Amino acid sequence: MAQTMINFRMDTDEKNSFEDICEQLGLTITTAFKMFAKKVVREHRIPFDLSLDPFYSSSNIQYLEKITKEIDSGKANLAEHELIEE
């Protein structure tokens, strides 16, 4: 089977943490990535859930910017309330 090289960049701290976890699992980074690639090929999907956090949606960011401007200008109607725990 022919082999190829894949190179990519990642944050140094993240790489070191990933390497530590792999080592604890008895794996190398190369083995972990090969396992990931084989699972993607076998299942034809990314083997974990991907989603967007609705907090960072453009509509929510616009809302937060509007509220921030109202607070900064003193126009916001702010009321204290008890902490609601669920």
Side-chain angles (χ1 to χ4, degrees):
M1 180 188 313
Q3 299 268 321
T4 189
M5 177 77 73
I6 299 174
N7 294 309
F8 60 92
R9 297 186 183 280
M10 69 187 303
D11 177 79
T12 301
D13 292 336
E14 189 173 43
K15 182 258 183 189
N16 292 335
S17 295
F18 181 57
E19 190 171 35
D20 288 343
I21 292 167
C22 286
E23 187 177 305
Q24 291 173 36
L25 294 169
L27 304 170
T28 63
I29 287 179
T30 299
T31 302
F33 279 115
K34 284 181 180 178
M35 291 169 63
F36 170 77
K38 287 180 183 222
K39 190 163 179 74
V40 168
V41 169
R42 184 174 50 250
E43 296 181 5
H44 296 269
R45 68 180 191 90
I46 301 297
F48 47 82
D49 290 333
L50 297 174
S51 63
L52 297 175
D53 187 336
F55 180 83
Y56 296 102
S57 68
S58 61
S59 61
N60 195 48
I61 296 300
Q62 289 173 356
Y63 172 77
L64 293 172
E65 288 171 347
K66 177 182 172 246
I67 294 298
T68 301
K69 286 178 186 173
E70 289 178 6
I71 291 170
D72 290 344
S73 68
K75 295 179 182 176
N77 183 13
L78 301 175
E80 290 186 27
H81 61 82
E82 296 295 319
L83 177 64
I84 301 169
E85 295 186 42
E86 294 184 30

